[in-house]
Amino acid sequence: MKKHFLLLPLFLLAGILLKAQDTAAVLLKMQLLPATEEQNRLAQEQVKNAIQSGDGTALFETFCILGPRLWSRYGKMESMKNIAEGNVDFKVPLFDKDGKSAGMGVSKGKLVQSVADFKLVWQQLSSELKGSNLSVTEAKALTNRDRFLYWLLFANKLEEPVFVMTVNAKRFLFKTVTASKLFFVEDMSLD
């Protein structure tokens, strides 16, 4: 039986934030909830080590959410097609070409719920990010584009530890719930 999850990012705040007249207003409202330097460093180190080793099982607890941009790619891969359960609908605001609010839409993500499925995801993810020029961008230094993409899914709170890891043109956002357990991963690469 397929499980179908509906995540409503901060439902009460969504109505308020949709009144924002443009993306700049959204970014001004975004609140950074910092973790300690030690928590941020440990989270980044844990993810970086797991990427380099190709083994991310220590990062997995009971689930990990794959964002809609990442799942739109990974869901088409033959190795990932057997991840049947854990469909996630992200209710996201839509904007017109001028950045004005244009209602709500749905983007599909995936809630990975088993170690075996997480291993498949991590194998692909780590292969895309392996490299000697892997760099880390902390939450407070994210670009406006990164902040906006994050806001589309999580509303107005940028809660650390959250960071982007980049190698060449590949960019992935990682959000951990503790310094060592992964909560969310999204592809932030430019289209």
Side-chain angles (χ1 to χ4, degrees):
M1 178 172 85
K2 282 189 173 182
K3 293 180 184 176
H4 192 78
F5 293 89
L6 181 62
L7 296 179
L8 299 174
L10 302 173
F11 179 75
L12 296 175
L13 294 175
I16 295 167
L17 291 174
L18 282 176
K19 293 180 183 175
Q21 290 302 305
D22 58 26
T23 56
V26 166
L27 295 173
L28 288 173
K29 292 180 184 246
M30 184 172 280
Q31 178 184 10
L32 177 63
L33 300 174
T36 67
E37 281 187 38
E38 179 65 15
Q39 289 170 320
N40 282 325
R41 185 194 61 73
L42 185 58
Q44 293 165 20
E45 187 177 284
Q46 295 277 347
V47 172
K48 195 178 226 182
N49 289 342
I51 289 168
Q52 297 306 329
S53 73
D55 181 7
T57 53
L59 298 172
F60 185 79
E61 192 165 32
T62 55
F63 69 90
C64 179
I65 302 169
L66 305 182
R69 292 170 53 94
L70 183 60
W71 185 244
S72 71
R73 276 195 316 115
Y74 281 17
K76 295 172 188 166
M77 294 178 177
E78 203 56 44
S79 62
M80 310 272 182
K81 287 186 177 179
N82 290 332
I83 304 176
E85 294 187 356
N87 296 321
V88 178
D89 288 345
F90 288 94
K91 286 194 94 129
V92 295
L94 301 174
F95 296 89
D96 66 19
K97 62 182 167 82
D98 298 321
K100 306 282 188 239
S101 177
M104 295 294 284
V106 175
S107 291
K108 305 281 184 195
K110 185 59 86 172
L111 182 71
V112 177
Q113 303 171 74
S114 75
V115 173
D117 290 344
F118 185 76
K119 283 181 179 181
L120 291 173
V121 170
W122 194 261
Q123 182 180 18
Q124 179 63 36
L125 186 67
S126 63
S127 73
E128 292 183 40
L129 278 171
K130 276 190 180 168
S132 60
N133 59 343
L134 182 66
S135 66
V136 179
T137 305
E138 294 184 1
K140 59 186 165 231
L142 293 178
T143 65
N144 283 345
R145 178 188 175 277
D146 291 341
R147 286 174 177 261
F148 184 73
L149 290 174
Y150 181 92
W151 173 83
L152 287 173
L153 303 171
F154 291 103
N156 70 337
K157 293 185 179 172
L158 186 59
E159 187 173 357
E160 292 181 328
V162 60
F163 48 92
V164 171
M165 290 196 160
T166 306
V167 66
N168 302 325
K170 298 286 186 178
R171 303 177 74 247
F172 291 90
L173 179 130
F174 294 89
K175 178 168 179 44
T176 61
V177 287
T178 64
S180 61
K181 299 301 175 192
L182 198 54
F183 173 72
F184 179 81
V185 183
E186 178 63 304
D187 186 346
M188 302 295 270
S189 303
L190 297 174
D191 295 329

